[in-house]
């Protein structure tokens, strides 16, 4: 009897190859397929000692190599290439089989594909995978959507290869259709915000204090031993400590200051607008990358005036570095709070019933935003599943309230010295906006009613009202 594979991977670029190797290393027989036969052959030859692989050189051969229910992991470029691969394999699969899209697909595409394949009796599982190529090989954070039935067969394999924290796999069924890819999208949006806040911290320590990258690296290493303990803080210290071999200069000084993006941050902002969720930290981080990339615009405005910078010194400098740590922590809490609010809103809009505590748990390891305080976030949502925002959770509330004097000092110092801090500033503005007794939105509503008769509501009565602004008496009437 010919041996069958328990799962197959089609699309053997770096991520697909490493996922296949991860599965094989955990004792699963893996069928391999790629549009280029050479890539399939090379993987089997180079890494065949790591486990059982069954190379296949056609779609039909690949499908025939899989045991039922067949489980096909698609790892190709998002968009039309993914649709083409799905269409090709859907013709060869049978009811009950599972197609897994483990790429960075837009969740709306995942919902469309899941509905179409469900009509054919096939399970479609949009799966977020975070951790990059190293995570794919050694244990990523995995966010699968799709039906509960598909997770019964697929889940054990994914949990087996996922990162583990305290023995718990960083993998859980997120919810129906596009839930997995939605949560991965928000993960990436939070990642944008987190990276921007860390970059602003570096810029502040250098611009306000005159510290060199190597010294700032040591500060980040110290921060990484406390409440800011995270993968991103860890690698930031490594990057800042690195010296460019060709020039002998700090590595960060020879890198072009134009950040790129692949689109998931932009998607997060767009969907935040659609859902009416103010994810200002993610938006500012996305726009900061966009601004950095406008080289011609930046060159054209190079001569614009600004304040002089006299670096802080002595005890004032030491205190400022401590203040930046507090501002960074408080701003991170805001960014994560906004991201979880967006997941709440998406879950309500699409009927997914996403468990926020579970999401925080599976982000504790394997993924790019893995951090010590995600365990605190998990505990907060497990204690209060209906928690409106992390900012009202006991420990987080106290930490942010305790940090606010330092936070305000950092933002004001940045403004005084002309150091751009869109992440810190918008996080503080969001915090102040939430806690305000009254917002100037009342005036905005009056303006809207004046020029467009859009109506307004009153604090002392029910219903909508409109004022006849053009009349001398300016009569008010119910709308």
């Amino acid at each position: 009897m010919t041996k069958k594979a328990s799962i197959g991977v089609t699309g053997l670029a770096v991520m697909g190859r490493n996922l296949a190797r991860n599965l094989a290393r955990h004792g699963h027989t893996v069928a391999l397929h790629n549009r280029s036969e050479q890539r399939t052959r090379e993987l089997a030859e180079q890494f065949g000692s790591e486990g059982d692989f069954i190379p296949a050189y056609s779609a039909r051969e690949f499908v025939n190599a899989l045991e039922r229910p067949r489980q096909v992991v698609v790892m190709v470029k998002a968009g039309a290439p993914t649709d083409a691969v799905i269409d090709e394999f859907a013709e060869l699969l049978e009811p009950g089989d599972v197609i897994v899209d483990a790429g960075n697909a837009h969740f709306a595409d995942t919902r469309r594909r899941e509905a179409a394949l469900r009509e054919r009796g096939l399970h479609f599982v949009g799966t977020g995978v975070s951790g990059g190529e190293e995570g794919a090989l050694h244990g990523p954070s995995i966010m699968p959507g799709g039906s509960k039935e598909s997770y019964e067969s697929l889940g054990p394999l994914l949990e087996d290869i996922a990162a583990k924290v305290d023995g718990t796999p960083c993998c859980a069924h997120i919810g129906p259709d596009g839930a997995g890819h939605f949560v991965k999208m928000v993960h990436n949006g939070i990642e944008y915000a987190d990276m921007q806040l860390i970059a602003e911290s570096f810029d502040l320590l250098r611009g306000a204090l005159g510290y060199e990258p190597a010294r700032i690296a040591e500060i980040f290493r110290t921060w990484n031993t406390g409440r800011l303990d995270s993968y991103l803080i860890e690698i930031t210290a490594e990057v800042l400590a690195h010296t460019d071999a060709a020039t002998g200069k700090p590595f960060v000084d020879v890198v072009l200051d134009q950040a790129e993006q692949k689109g998931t941050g932009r998607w997060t902002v767009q969907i935040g607008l659609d859902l009416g969720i103010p994810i200002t930290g993610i938006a500012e981080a996305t726009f900061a990358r966009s601004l950095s990339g406008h080289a011609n615009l930046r060159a054209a405005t190079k001569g614009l005036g600004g304040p002089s910078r006299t670096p802080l010194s002595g005890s004032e400098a030491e205190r400022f570095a401590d203040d930046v740590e507090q501002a960074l922590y408080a701003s991170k809490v805001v960014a994560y709070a906004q991201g979880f609010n967006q997941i709440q809103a998406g879950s309500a809009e699409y009927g997914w019933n996403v468990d926020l505590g579970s999401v925080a748990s599976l982000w504790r390891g394997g993924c790019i935003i893995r951090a010590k305080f995600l365990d605190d976030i998990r505990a907060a949502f497990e204690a209060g599943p209906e928690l409106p925002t992390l900012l009202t959770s006991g420990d987080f509330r106290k930490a942010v309230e305790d940090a606010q004097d330092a936070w305000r000092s950092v933002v004001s110092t940045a403004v005084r010295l002309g150091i751009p801090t869109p992440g810190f500033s918008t996080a503080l503005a969001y915090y102040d906006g939430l806690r305000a007794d009254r917002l100037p939105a009342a005036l905005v509503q009056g303006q809207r009613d004046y020029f467009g008769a859009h109506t307004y509501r009153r604090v002392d009565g029910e219903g909508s009202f409109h004022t006849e602004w053009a009349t001398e008496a300016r009569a008010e009437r119910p709308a």
Side-chain angles (χ1 to χ4, degrees):
M1 180 178 178
T2 304
K3 186 175 185 179
K4 297 277 189 177
S6 55
I7 193 167
V9 179
T10 180
L12 301 176
V14 175
M15 285 293 289
R17 179 187 67 197
N18 283 1
L19 274 180
R21 292 173 60 195
N22 191 352
L23 285 159
R25 288 177 171 188
H26 282 82
H28 305 288
T29 302
V30 185
L32 304 174
H33 174 263
N34 193 76
R35 184 175 58 180
S36 162
E37 293 185 8
Q38 182 64 23
R39 185 166 284 177
T40 305
R41 190 172 292 108
E42 287 176 353
L43 194 160
E45 291 174 354
Q46 291 179 25
F47 304 107
S49 61
E50 295 183 346
D52 291 332
F53 295 111
I54 301 177
Y57 300 102
S58 71
R60 186 172 295 280
E61 183 184 356
F62 176 70
V63 168
N64 289 341
L66 297 168
E67 62 186 29
R68 297 289 308 276
R70 302 179 183 93
Q71 300 183 124
V72 176
V73 178
V74 177
M75 290 296 294
V76 300
K77 189 176 179 180
T82 297
D83 279 321
V85 171
I86 290 170
D87 290 344
E88 179 181 18
F89 282 100
E91 293 295 327
L92 302 172
L93 297 173
E94 299 175 281
D97 290 346
V98 182
I99 297 179
V100 182
D101 177 10
N104 268 338
H106 194 291
F107 81 97
D109 287 338
T110 302
R111 299 189 76 217
R112 168 179 58 80
R113 291 162 180 157
E114 193 277 336
L117 291 175
R118 189 184 339 123
E119 290 188 357
R120 302 175 66 163
L122 298 174
H123 295 285
F124 184 72
V125 179
T127 300
V129 177
S130 179
E133 58 186 84
E134 287 300 306
L137 181 61
H138 300 293
S141 174
I142 307 178
M143 296 150 261
S147 67
K148 291 182 179 179
E149 292 80 8
S150 63
Y151 196 76
E152 288 177 4
S153 58
L154 180 65
L157 279 76
L158 297 183
E159 291 176 13
D160 201 19
I161 67 168
K164 309 292 190 303
V165 175
D166 299 329
T168 301
C170 293
C171 173
H173 181 235
I174 300 297
D177 55 70
H181 276 145
F182 186 95
V183 167
K184 174 56 163 57
M185 174 192 75
V186 175
H187 165 282
N188 285 23
I190 294 173
E191 177 186 309
Y192 274 50
D194 209 340
M195 293 172 70
Q196 176 65 24
L197 293 169
I198 292 170
E200 289 179 18
S201 299
F202 158 71
D203 204 24
L204 284 162
L205 294 173
R206 197 171 201 188
L209 304 182
Y211 290 173
E212 287 301 310
R215 184 172 182 182
I216 300 173
E218 290 305 313
I219 293 173
F220 273 90
R221 288 196 176 104
T222 300
W223 288 354
N224 202 46
T225 63
R227 61 183 179 175
L228 287 172
D229 179 4
S230 68
Y231 173 71
L232 284 172
I233 294 288
E234 176 188 345
I235 67 169
T236 297
E238 293 298 313
V239 172
L240 290 176
H242 184 58
T243 299
D244 177 57
T247 64
K249 295 179 179 179
F251 170 79
V252 73
D253 287 346
V254 300
V255 177
L256 189 66
D257 61 337
Q258 297 177 21
E260 298 181 357
Q261 52 184 304
K262 291 188 175 180
T264 47
R266 184 169 63 249
W267 291 350
T268 311
V269 176
Q270 290 168 340
I271 301 306
L273 291 170
D274 291 343
L275 293 171
I277 301 300
I279 48 169
T280 55
I282 297 170
E284 285 293 350
T286 305
F287 289 134
R289 291 196 189 189
S290 178
L291 175 65
S292 76
H294 282 272
N296 292 339
L297 180 61
R298 293 173 62 196
T301 56
K302 207 71 171 179
L304 290 178
S308 60
R309 291 188 188 178
T310 302
L312 308 179
S313 60
S315 61
E316 189 180 16
E318 291 181 12
R319 185 169 60 251
F320 184 76
D322 291 339
D323 287 350
V324 172
E325 188 274 343
Q326 294 194 66
L328 174 56
Y329 184 80
S331 298
K332 279 167 66 77
V333 172
V334 168
Y336 280 70
Q338 291 179 350
F340 276 94
N341 281 158
Q342 184 168 11
I343 295 174
Q344 282 177 317
S347 180
E349 176 73 16
Y350 300 109
W352 290 330
N353 195 30
V354 176
D355 183 335
L356 298 182
S358 176
V359 171
S361 181
L362 62 88
W363 284 352
R364 293 182 302 161
C367 68
I368 303 302
I369 65 171
R370 59 185 183 265
K372 179 180 180 181
F373 87 149
L374 275 160
D375 206 38
D376 298 328
I377 294 176
R378 174 197 58 78
F381 281 116
E382 287 183 353
E386 304 303 318
L387 186 69
T389 171
L390 286 172
L391 292 169
T392 61
S393 175
D395 290 343
F396 287 115
R397 175 174 181 163
K398 185 178 187 306
V400 172
E401 288 178 341
D402 289 348
Q404 68 169 305
D405 286 346
W407 196 5
R408 296 181 193 284
S409 175
V410 166
V411 171
S412 63
T413 300
V415 172
R416 178 167 56 83
L417 297 178
I419 301 171
T421 54
F424 283 168
S425 300
T426 197
L428 182 57
Y430 177 84
Y431 174 76
D432 283 339
L434 286 182
R435 67 177 194 83
D437 291 332
R438 292 269 298 169
L439 291 171
L443 177 57
V444 173
Q445 288 300 82
Q447 293 168 332
R448 294 179 72 246
D449 188 61
Y450 192 108
F451 68 69
H454 293 297
T455 77
Y456 55 87
R457 288 173 294 164
R458 296 178 58 91
V459 298
D460 56 1
E462 297 295 324
S464 297
F465 296 84
H466 170 60
T467 294
E468 298 292 348
W469 297 97
T471 67
E472 188 171 338
R474 293 184 179 171
E476 181 183 275
R477 60 175 173 77

